[in-house]
Amino acid sequence: MPRKICVVVASRANYARVKTLLKAIQEHPELELQVVAGASLVLERFGNAVDVMSMDGFEPDATIRFIIEGETPVTMAKSTGLALLELPTVFELLKPDVVVTVADRFETIATAIAAAYMNIPVAHTQGGEVSGSIDESVRHAVTKLAHLHFPATELSAQRVISMGEDPATVFNLGCPSIDLVAATDLGLRQDTLSHFGGAGAEIDPGRPFVLMMQHPVTTEYGQGLDQINATIRALTAIGLQALVFWPNVDAGSEQVAKGLRLFRETGESGGCHFFRNLPPEIFVKLMAHCACMVGNSSAALREGAYLGTPAVTVGTRQRNRERAANVVDAGHDAKAIAAAIQGQIEHGRYERSTLFGDGRAGERIAETLAVERPSIQKKLHPGSLAVELAPF
Amino acid sequence: MPRKICVVVASRANYARVKTLLKAIQEHPELELQVVAGASLVLERFGNAVDVMSMDGFEPDATIRFIIEGETPVTMAKSTGLALLELPTVFELLKPDVVVTVADRFETIATAIAAAYMNIPVAHTQGGEVSGSIDESVRHAVTKLAHLHFPATELSAQRVISMGEDPATVFNLGCPSIDLVAATDLGLRQDTLSHFGGAGAEIDPGRPFVLMMQHPVTTEYGQGLDQINATIRALTAIGLQALVFWPNVDAGSEQVAKGLRLFRETGESGGCHFFRNLPPEIFVKLMAHCACMVGNSSAALREGAYLGTPAVTVGTRQRNRERAANVVDAGHDAKAIAAAIQGQIEHGRYERSTLFGDGRAGERIAETLAVERPSIQKKLHPGSLAVELAPF
Amino acid sequence: MPRKICVVVASRANYARVKTLLKAIQEHPELELQVVAGASLVLERFGNAVDVMSMDGFEPDATIRFIIEGETPVTMAKSTGLALLELPTVFELLKPDVVVTVADRFETIATAIAAAYMNIPVAHTQGGEVSGSIDESVRHAVTKLAHLHFPATELSAQRVISMGEDPATVFNLGCPSIDLVAATDLGLRQDTLSHFGGAGAEIDPGRPFVLMMQHPVTTEYGQGLDQINATIRALTAIGLQALVFWPNVDAGSEQVAKGLRLFRETGESGGCHFFRNLPPEIFVKLMAHCACMVGNSSAALREGAYLGTPAVTVGTRQRNRERAANVVDAGHDAKAIAAAIQGQIEHGRYERSTLFGDGRAGERIAETLAVERPSIQKKLHPGSLAVELAPF
Amino acid sequence: MPRKICVVVASRANYARVKTLLKAIQEHPELELQVVAGASLVLERFGNAVDVMSMDGFEPDATIRFIIEGETPVTMAKSTGLALLELPTVFELLKPDVVVTVADRFETIATAIAAAYMNIPVAHTQGGEVSGSIDESVRHAVTKLAHLHFPATELSAQRVISMGEDPATVFNLGCPSIDLVAATDLGLRQDTLSHFGGAGAEIDPGRPFVLMMQHPVTTEYGQGLDQINATIRALTAIGLQALVFWPNVDAGSEQVAKGLRLFRETGESGGCHFFRNLPPEIFVKLMAHCACMVGNSSAALREGAYLGTPAVTVGTRQRNRERAANVVDAGHDAKAIAAAIQGQIEHGRYERSTLFGDGRAGERIAETLAVERPSIQKKLHPGSLAVELAPF
């Protein structure tokens, strides 16, 4: 009987980061894929990315809705709670042998807790990375709950081990998000975007354009409107056409969305087109062709490294995250952001970096899931820790 | 304005482990104590320990109920979820400056997640210890969410740092549970127990008696009935009078309770008296006078070290936990357990060990809470990790 | 394709009241039975009646746990909320054509709301009855949410219609609980009870015995301990052997349970045997043979009518409920209760009454479920109302 | 000590319907007002109407968020559940003497259930009305849970009594929504709308305009996109400038919103301005001046009666609801809707009708809340029912 591998996919960003893994599990003779769709992935307001996923051949085995509207710190904590009421029901039904949880979001930790309490081994991708926002803490907490680790870089793998994980459970196989980039035809036609709706000005991909995606920073809750406004002013100053994405569902999202809405409604967003969601491959094409990417999405660092996308990362959300040469930092200051964008546009594209993988992570992870049998009872691994510890 | 320190107390065991800290916070001129009572602490079925706490002068500022009945792995995960729906409401209302979360249970991680997402600094006691059960994973995950650490031993403190926490946030000040032991008049009168109800035979504290407290092991769910039965048979074989405690609310609790219930109902429990709950000080007196303690409570290792209580720890629940000389391990085998109990009774009491503290932890922790101002944005501390890591 | 009829069974009492309906649905060629087990039915503490149900051939298609421990008015409301988070998941999965909800409890209204919002027709049994407690309000509220009504008596049917329900949707076919009574071999052997555990004195069914079952009254929350104590004192005064049942999970249950626990622990319950749960047929046998039934269970009125069981109903919980000659009321006064019990014992058994049905309700309801196709859009039925109403 | 009256306000529509009641309670010497803000009232996406309410002097005593995103039948049922987890906490904190619940929505029944289980008397406005959608059932179910009834018309009052409510608890005092209309200065200046944002074309209030507000019909879930598209086509055919409102949060809302979004994004909405929310008084001004109102909002029937607003009501959502002469029905057919709008425009404004009140309901209801003391134990009122019922 094949091992049942249940992957919880909970946002458009999540999906891009496990798509090739889903495929590899689906095709592996000893594995059976179970997909749980949840959170913003299944919301019309966020572009209903679940439809894209289904069309790609990954029909969800279960769909759960656990986003409590409001996007405040309180609703973020409570949405985690609601996810913890929903996920056990799904796991009880699907009886997976392993649950895969992605990255560092509230559904990530809810998935890890639900599975761990139910004695189902947890596999975690993207452990060991550092960043800002609450994601930093959540990512490492999930590492401590996970039984198998698939960090995306060598440094991340070493951090995971250093935190006390057994090296035998840590596998640096690269990030599946890079697989998707590597497999994508990067051509961008004049009409590529016309299929995907959105609102605002039409963008001519033949001319330079900026890609903007900025999320709230939970640990700086209340500053989201100011933060997006600084970036908007920089964008306006640059004067290029731009593709602008709505933010994710983190606490503070409504403030960022409000900034974008006012930008639209007051009519200054003349050269901008607004998207809720795009299929991952289309987003990759845009990253491959944009003059510059701006905001605080980790895509700029991750996929951007492989694509050599000139990027300006604002604020603290990606602070300290490993990156290649393509990223420049800026504070929440319109002038500084505009100057940084200008500099990146002048520099042009960067060399490819394989820091986050070479394009074959999905199949390697699937293969590892097929053979590893971690103990459900975790133990702090004494040999991994820095200090000289008494035997225990 | 004093700093508001909110302590979430969620079980009879929890309470004993923070009681002196509550007192020290209450008496500190720069601190204001907020107490949240929840989980089994507020349930009649578990002895309604909240009444004991209130009589001690710690009236709860909020009482929450989030235990979903059933005590299966599913309800344990879902109770965590329900706690995450309840706690943010309370924190929003009480607006604490710091939240204190104790040890390693599902309410512990729910508290840590709720506070962390709400940008309230989390202080954690008992981090860095190792054990069995899901508690092991949860304890370390909470460490990764916490902003201030109060581990109970030097080794635990070093482990917390080794996991990547900033040493400036880690304080080895001992465990408040030892304070309580140190401050307790250990005298046990003939009528001490008669005030506290319970059921079954009357116990004569003047004659040798066994103290038995055994909880389910979540990672061995389904084996609880067999596990308690082995201990029951050992107890019967020893033939001494015994004080037997009902188990906590972890997954598998109903199975352990069933074993105890059958033990009672079939009439073989002749020399046993059954308690749901006792005030911490009374429990300490019993630990100070019993011929042997048996089961898998961490009290045998922690308070037992200071009291020199001869103890037999069965199964994996306390596996690898730091301990003094007073503890002997046994598997879930009636004969082995009986032999170990016999050996401990013959040995008699052990020397005092201050491994877990010297009796002044509460006031030291309160003082630290009054002065420390941790950053809400956590960062993996590079200097703490074992490997040579690139600067980040 | 057979119509899928989903019955939510949520307590030991519920089960007795739909058992023959489950059977009739299961055997009907055009129907497919779906059983959802929840609430106290699946709790060890309440005797895990789900096992009895499974052994009877009704394996649950889904098991849900939504009782939040505490049994206060707050947890009762919140348990309703938790049921409303769980049931939609189950209905989405099972895709029933009709959902059957029983009587008047919090899971009853949660079931009705979940199905009604999901556009699944709701069939309701026991509508139109009057009683005390919050059950009275909940029962009529469920009537207003239900699409098919199966009241148990002619008077109840008329009340349902009078409340504005379309007479074409109201079917007075009797109560399935009477079917079960009618089909039960009423013989009670010396050893019948010995298979079912419980605790306390052994009962000799050859000698007169009392059957006691008393639940909390939610609208009189806080008086439960006094109320049970009055009945206990009456029982003690009578001096007969007695079978005593633990209360249900309504708000105040812990107070009633506490009264019973003290009764046991103080040793005055000498002639009593305590049960958590019995199979419905065994309970019926006991009702057929007891000298008197005392408490506030509706079984005394319902099954008692058919069996002619002499019964004393205390307090307001059954106030105003339709009844046959076998029931005498008493207030919460030990002397009055004792006198009433004495009177009933002297009177002896009553004539059979078919007020609540003649024993064929289950099959008639199943047949009706197979043929009726109610509109999902309900409308207040103008012809049913008392006043002369403008056409609408 | 004043009686604490807690009003749960959960949407922009809700607020308009209790605003004068809030004022009257606030000003009553024997009453103390408590306001709970929840659901769409507190969501940015729905215009954050809570800010309007706060500026009017009704600062919420508690704010709760319980909308689970998705707006499917499943999330609607689950949001009811989440409300039932949140409201008891609030009621436990605020300890109201009476809870007021408005109309017929899922938060309405959650409020009624929470209060009823907690033995807090429930006062209900707008009982006894008939309509389509699940609201019809919910409204009557809430009547059966409520202790005091404030229906808006004489016919509604008679229906409430006919359903078995005690006439002594039913008060026909009119609808507070009419008070607000009666007190509003109906003048509409050229710049009135310019303060309220929104998106799309600027509307000239000096020229004829249409007011469009269409919500999903839960019992016709899945047809929302077609239904809105029919109305959109009618609007386009009429060719007048129009003010278009986004739908409420009922199941199917995303489909209706999608229709509006496509309408905007495809650029055919040239003469339309889109609003999320407006203060009630501004909406009233618009109703007083529009050439025609179209959609399925009950405002067309209720406030529209008093204002004489020509209105076209589409589909079943208001089917059978009491109305004055100003309303014409149409099916979901673009031509029929357009013809009906054309007819209404030609007719022009209607005579005032005081069917739903004369403008003094708020103060009368407040006065009644100050003096009535309903029994918490409800009883079906025998004298109210149509049939000759045995005394009980």
Side-chain angles (χ1 to χ4, degrees), chain D residues 59-136:
Chain D
E59 194 70 40
D61 294 90
T63 295
I64 52 181
R65 290 178 169 83
F66 53 77
I67 304 284
I68 302 174
E69 280 212 47
E71 285 130 8
T72 67
V74 166
T75 58
M76 209 160 171
K78 292 198 177 196
S79 293
T80 316
L82 192 53
L84 267 165
L85 287 172
E86 296 287 322
L87 286 163
T89 308
V90 169
F91 294 156
E92 198 174 31
L93 177 71
L94 297 180
K95 301 197 189 337
D97 295 301
V98 177
V99 165
V100 178
T101 191
V102 181
D104 48 30
R105 301 182 46 70
F106 65 84
E107 56 266 20
T108 310
I109 196 165
T111 301
I113 292 174
Y117 270 115
M118 291 174 73
N119 292 330
I120 305 167
V122 176
H124 180 217
T125 68
Q126 303 193 10
E129 302 187 20
V130 295
S131 69
S133 206
I134 182 68
D135 303 352
E136 165 80 1

Side-chain angles (χ1 to χ4, degrees), chain B residues 208-212 230-242 263 272 291-292 294 312 334-346:
Chain B
F209 64 93
V210 172
L211 207 56
M212 169 172 161
T231 309
I232 286 171
R233 282 197 304 276
L235 197 67
T236 315
I238 292 294
L240 289 186
Q241 54 180 357
F263 180 43
C272 297
C292 182
V294 63
V312 174
K335 280 194 189 157
I337 299 170
I341 296 175
Q342 202 56 57
Q344 287 285 52
I345 292 172
E346 282 161 18

